[in-house]
Amino acid sequence: MDSEDEFDMQDAAAESADDDFYSGGDDVFDSDDADVADYEFIDNDSDDSDDLISHRYQQNYTVLGEADIRQRQEDDVMRISTVLSISKVSASILLRYYNWSVSKVHDEWFADEEKVRKVVGLLEKPVVEFPDGREMTCGICFETYPCDRLHVAACGHPFCSTCWQGYISTAINDGPGCLMLRCPDPSCSAAVGQDMINELASDEDKEKYSRYFIRSYVEDNRKTKWCPAPGCDYAVDFIVGSGSYDVTCRCSYSFCWNCTEEAHRPVDCGTVAKWILKNSAESENMNWILANSKPCPKCKRPIEKNQGCMHITCTPPCQFEFCWLCLGAWSDHGERTGGFYACNRYETAKQEGVYDEAEKRREMAKNSLERYTHYYERWATNQSSRQKALADLQQMQTVHLEKLSDIQCQPESQLKFITEAWLQIVECRRVLKWTYAYGYYLPEHEHGKRIFFEYLQGEAESGLERLHQCAEKELQTYLNSEGPSKDFNEFRTKLAGLTSRTTSSKSLGGGSSRGRSGRGKGSTSRSSGPSRNIDDSGHWSCEHCTFANIRSATICAMCQQRK
């Protein structure tokens, strides 16, 4: 995240604190962990839940529906109206202008009220007086109307009902800019409030205006974003600076609040952006062409060799015959070159290291493609395994737990360890998936860092495979049994132990929010400095290689990066 984004985040964090002061801080709640993923089908109201399960729902964000957004808008408008002693219409105009930042409105208003009024268009007195009891000319159509058929904004410029309706309708159909509507008089900057819209606009236009009004609270507010899932109408209000950016919407979609891509902790947003771009870019197509084809020496069209013979004939109209290895004319090949199907020219050049530039580029492209394929296949495989695990988790909760409860004669509340194991599998698959994107971009020259990373990755993979095998295969024995099994308690101990071990290994590349912050439940600390990476044992985790350094160290002992 660049410096401008950091400034915005800090400003939003200060704004959040100020807003909480006025609201009492009851509408949001902090957390030490946001390790939740696509688990909306979990029963949050179930009794006897373990502490490990319950802490998953302690969030550093709030999911907002349309009713929640409307309520927050009304609360903010009432707060500004009361503190500044202005009408609700004027308060909503101020809030929209300052992107729904209550603290910003307060700061600007009390610093220079006259300047704010002028900029926003809130006039204390009319520019022209609107007389009573006589006819006046509309400033748009220039027709004369009785005063009861004319309407004015705060400025006093009179326009007829028809012209007002046309002006408002055109503005609303042009888009969200209608929320900052001004007087139709070109020389006047008086704001047109929602009271005029409600009085003069058609029902259809009122509905559109209302939608723009609601969306402005999310789209103009730095602390709030829409859920990026297709068709989702929920928004997320985030406590900036509170640790992990992982967010799970009520629609069950899990995403990163910072970059709005799918949840990708522990990999940073920049790496994710590069990886997604690489997966969709045409550069990989060119790499494939370079690695698997050669240009015809005569017409230069790329040719893929699809048979074992080195004798290549270009397609019509070229039909040039050449050797695949050295690209020389096939007529030049024979016994002196090692035979028609062997090219010692190429072999000699290869042994002597004499490659032309095209051959070198082809070799580099082939190596690059093989390396990318290695990481992409494992990234994609973990993604498909995660989707399968999500389906298995839902099946477990809706069907298998009840069946297992009947077979083993145990209440479902005593089988929570199975649900927790599947939650852990899904989460670890997500983490492992993104470690392959992280590994792809690890610099080749940082040998020590790569070795340490691959060791951690291998440990995480082996632990996850043992857990997945136990939860998927070994559990089937007890699901298929005809009665209670004597060794079911041993299975419980084994699965719970594997779940616990993979929980501790999940910190690969960054750790959980709890590990980074060292905060306990109920903490409301919002500090965002380097100290958030210090754990309870007095160590701090390097953000570059995750090595646990002693508290007093300022440089990572593994990768030499500063704290």
Side-chain angles (χ1 to χ4, degrees):
M1 187 163 56
D2 57 26
S3 59
E4 183 178 348
D5 289 338
E6 291 175 357
F7 176 79
D8 289 347
M9 289 297 183
Q10 292 169 2
D11 184 44
E15 171 189 314
S16 175
D18 187 76
D19 288 355
D20 289 347
F21 172 80
Y22 286 99
S23 64
D26 294 331
D27 54 348
V28 291
F29 48 98
D30 204 348
S31 169
D32 56 18
D33 200 350
D35 289 342
V36 275
D38 323 33
Y39 316 136
E40 188 60 27
F41 40 79
I42 305 269
D43 181 9
N44 294 345
D45 299 326
S46 59
D47 57 351
D48 299 328
S49 59
D50 296 330
D51 176 71
L52 190 58
I53 295 178
S54 63
H55 87 262
R56 288 180 179 272
Y57 302 99
Q58 307 244 344
Q59 301 167 343
N60 56 350
Y61 59 89
T62 305
V63 180
L64 306 174
E66 182 175 327
D68 302 317
I69 296 172
R70 288 185 184 277
Q71 186 59 52
R72 290 197 174 202
Q73 283 182 311
E74 292 175 6
D75 292 343
D76 287 349
V77 168
M78 179 60 71
R79 190 183 313 164
I80 293 297
S81 175
T82 302
V83 173
L84 305 187
S85 299
I86 57 177
S87 68
K88 290 184 179 179
V89 171
S90 298
S92 66
I93 293 173
L94 274 174
L95 283 166
R96 290 198 304 270
Y97 186 86
Y98 287 106
N99 297 327
W100 294 95
S101 171
V102 174
S103 60
K104 187 72 172 176
V105 171
H106 288 157
D107 293 343
E108 295 295 327
W109 183 272
F110 291 119
D112 192 339
E113 178 183 340
E114 184 178 348
K115 177 183 175 181
V116 171
R117 283 184 175 277
K118 183 177 180 181
V119 169
V120 178
L122 297 180
L123 306 182
E124 290 189 273
K125 58 182 180 179
V127 176
V128 296
E129 294 294 333
F130 186 75
D132 295 326
R134 66 183 182 86
E135 295 183 342
M136 291 190 68
T137 302
C138 170
I140 295 178
C141 65
F142 299 106
E143 295 287 341
T144 302
Y145 296 92
C147 288
D148 59 354
R149 293 184 59 187
L150 296 171
H151 300 272
V152 296
C155 56
H157 291 118
F159 302 99
C160 68
S161 301
T162 304
C163 290
W164 265 114
Q165 290 168 357
Y167 176 68
I168 290 173
S169 178
T170 301
I172 291 175
N173 286 292
D174 280 346
C178 63
L179 297 177
M180 301 303 296
L181 199 60
R182 300 298 177 102
C183 172
D185 191 304
S187 63
C188 181
S189 61
V192 176
Q194 192 166 359
D195 53 343
M196 294 285 289
I197 306 295
N198 293 337
E199 182 181 355
L200 297 169
S202 65
D203 291 340
E204 182 181 353
D205 288 340
K206 288 178 187 177
E207 178 64 23
K208 288 182 181 179
Y209 187 90
S210 177
R211 299 303 306 170
Y212 291 142
F213 188 75
I214 292 174
R215 296 191 69 85
S216 72
Y217 184 83
V218 177
E219 293 166 4
D220 297 339
N221 193 335
R222 292 189 195 141
K223 300 183 297 177
T224 312
K225 292 181 181 179
W226 293 111
C227 171
C232 180
D233 292 327
Y234 289 112
V236 176
D237 183 77
F238 189 81
I239 302 174
V240 179
S242 57
S244 171
Y245 286 120
D246 287 3
V247 166
T248 299
C249 181
R250 290 182 200 167
C251 71
S252 81
Y253 182 72
S254 188
F255 66 98
C256 170
W257 192 87
N258 188 41
C259 66
T260 66
E261 294 290 351
E262 68 169 13
H264 53 74
R265 191 177 52 83
V267 181
D268 62 84
C269 299
T271 301
V272 171
K274 288 191 294 184
W275 180 253
I276 291 175
L277 180 63
K278 187 169 187 66
N279 291 343
S280 60
E282 289 297 322
S283 61
E284 290 310 313
N285 294 336
M286 184 55 63
N287 270 343
W288 190 94
I289 292 173
L290 288 173
N292 297 279
S293 69
K294 293 183 179 181
C296 170
K298 184 177 180 181
C299 68
K300 305 303 180 184
R301 282 186 295 179
I303 296 174
E304 179 190 5
K305 188 168 83 71
N306 56 12
Q307 295 182 16
C309 176
M310 299 300 169
H311 181 193
I312 304 298
T313 301
C314 187
T315 56
C318 177
Q319 292 189 315
F320 180 71
E321 299 181 46
F322 62 95
C323 169
W324 177 259
L325 294 175
C326 69
L327 299 182
W330 189 251
S331 58
D332 295 338
H333 286 62
E335 293 181 0
R336 66 181 183 279
T337 63
F340 282 102
Y341 297 99
C343 182
N344 57 14
R345 292 179 181 176
Y346 178 81
E347 293 300 328
T348 302
K350 187 175 181 180
Q351 291 171 7
E352 295 176 355
V354 183
Y355 281 94
D356 62 11
E357 288 301 317
E359 192 64 31
K360 289 181 180 178
R361 287 198 302 272
R362 190 174 296 110
E363 194 70 22
M364 290 174 62
K366 185 175 182 180
N367 293 337
S368 173
L369 185 63
E370 288 176 352
R371 181 172 179 271
Y372 168 72
T373 302
H374 169 85
Y375 285 97
Y376 179 79
E377 284 179 347
R378 285 152 182 79
W379 180 85
T381 298
N382 275 289
Q383 168 67 357
S384 60
S385 295
R386 182 174 183 269
Q387 294 300 325
K388 176 63 166 58
L390 272 170
D392 290 343
L393 170 60
Q394 190 168 17
Q395 180 79 358
M396 179 63 62
Q397 291 181 297
T398 55
V399 178
H400 291 165
L401 277 184
E402 183 179 356
K403 178 182 177 182
L404 189 64
S405 175
D406 294 338
I407 294 173
Q408 300 300 328
C409 300
Q410 295 193 22
E412 288 190 35
S413 60
Q414 297 300 314
L415 302 177
K416 294 294 183 181
F417 70 97
I418 298 176
T419 300
E420 182 59 30
W422 278 104
L423 287 171
Q424 195 60 52
I425 289 169
V426 172
E427 177 68 0
C428 287
R429 285 292 177 196
R430 181 190 66 77
V431 173
L432 252 185
K433 179 183 77 168
W434 285 110
T435 62
Y436 283 102
Y438 176 84
Y440 180 80
Y441 289 105
L442 263 181
E444 292 290 340
H445 64 273
E446 296 186 9
H447 188 62
K449 184 175 180 179
R450 176 172 289 280
I451 290 176
F452 182 56
F453 164 75
E454 290 178 351
Y455 166 76
L456 289 176
Q457 190 181 51
E459 289 292 300
E461 281 183 328
S462 61
L464 176 55
E465 290 303 329
R466 287 194 297 270
L467 173 62
H468 207 153
Q469 173 79 12
C470 183
E472 187 174 41
K473 303 294 184 184
E474 297 181 27
L475 182 61
Q476 288 299 320
T477 303
Y478 304 100
L479 281 171
N480 297 331
S481 63
E482 297 180 357
S485 302
K486 296 180 180 179
D487 57 348
F488 185 74
N489 286 334
E490 294 181 8
F491 169 76
R492 179 201 303 271
T493 303
K494 179 181 179 181
L495 186 59
L498 289 172
T499 303
S500 177
R501 281 196 287 275
T502 53
T503 301
S504 62
S505 67
K506 193 174 63 179
S507 59
L508 172 64
S512 67
S513 299
R514 181 187 296 270
R516 288 198 305 272
S517 66
R519 299 196 304 268
K521 291 180 180 179
S523 169
T524 57
S525 170
R526 296 184 183 178
S527 60
S528 57
S531 61
R532 69 178 180 175
N533 290 332
I534 299 176
D535 60 26
D536 295 333
S537 62
H539 291 75
W540 60 275
S541 298
C542 176
E543 294 183 353
H544 299 272
C545 69
T546 74
F547 184 77
N549 298 274
I550 61 175
R551 184 194 293 266
S552 59
T554 57
I555 298 178
C556 177
M558 175 59 66
C559 65
Q560 305 303 312
Q561 295 288 337
R562 287 197 169 274
K563 181 176 177 180

